[in-house]
Amino acid sequence: MKNLRAIAITKLFVAALVMTLLLVGRAQAQGAGAVYRGTFALTQQIHWGKSVLRPGHYTMTMASIGNPAIVKVQNEDTGEGFRVVTAVREETTAGTSALFLQAKNGRASVYSLSLPQLGIVLIYEPTLAREPVLEARASQTVPVLLAKK
């Protein structure tokens, strides 16, 4: 009898915990408190980490500038989204917000994201980011515009 009661109480507790986590997750997913929200447009397919971004309009958000940095990217045309994570960063307040691209295995790949408004450059491909300056001619940038709230 005591075992059945203990099991029932445990199930109730677990159900309450799951509901709490779901509600907290939904509140965070709605982008409340984002420290950065930007937009960019692509005219060609690029790779960012393991994700492939097709031509289109994108929105990106960062909930915090803590380490690791997590950027949520969403295709505005299709609704598809993904997250990219990095713990590699440099400090800067110079330049403009942009994605920096370089050819990797014959494909355009994001190697860094510059966000001077936040004082950081997030580095996703350290080997590409540190290539000699002579290779800079092969680099491309995609401007990132600060989104209006």
Side-chain angles (χ1 to χ4, degrees):
M1 207 56 162
K2 286 184 180 182
N3 279 343
L4 291 176
R5 186 172 182 199
I7 291 172
I9 290 172
T10 303
K11 284 183 179 180
L12 182 62
F13 176 74
V14 169
L17 180 62
V18 168
M19 290 303 291
T20 302
L21 292 174
L22 288 174
L23 292 174
V24 169
R26 284 187 66 185
Q28 289 177 347
Q30 292 174 358
V35 297
Y36 186 83
R37 193 174 318 238
T39 62
F40 61 95
L42 296 176
T43 58
Q44 65 179 10
Q45 178 174 295
I46 66 169
H47 294 257
W48 192 347
K50 294 181 180 181
S51 299
V52 177
L53 286 75
R54 292 173 182 50
H57 297 88
Y58 291 83
T59 300
M60 59 184 217
T61 56
M62 286 181 64
S64 79
I65 59 171
N67 234 354
I70 301 170
V71 177
K72 180 183 175 195
V73 181
Q74 184 167 2
N75 183 321
E76 292 300 311
D77 303 323
T78 65
E80 295 174 338
F82 64 95
R83 287 181 171 77
V84 286
V85 179
T86 186
V88 183
R89 66 174 66 212
E90 293 179 0
E91 294 182 13
T92 187
T93 55
T96 60
S97 294
L99 290 171
F100 287 85
L101 311 175
Q102 182 89 309
K104 179 181 177 183
N105 299 326
R107 303 180 305 208
S109 298
V110 174
Y111 69 86
S112 66
L113 168 60
S114 177
L115 299 171
Q117 301 94 327
L118 300 178
I120 57 174
V121 174
L122 302 175
I123 300 171
Y124 296 95
E125 293 283 346
T127 54
L128 292 179
R130 290 184 177 82
E131 286 200 1
V133 175
L134 294 174
E135 296 296 322
R137 291 173 288 167
S139 294
Q140 300 175 352
T141 59
V142 176
V144 176
L145 306 174
L146 187 62
K148 296 179 181 177
K149 292 186 177 187

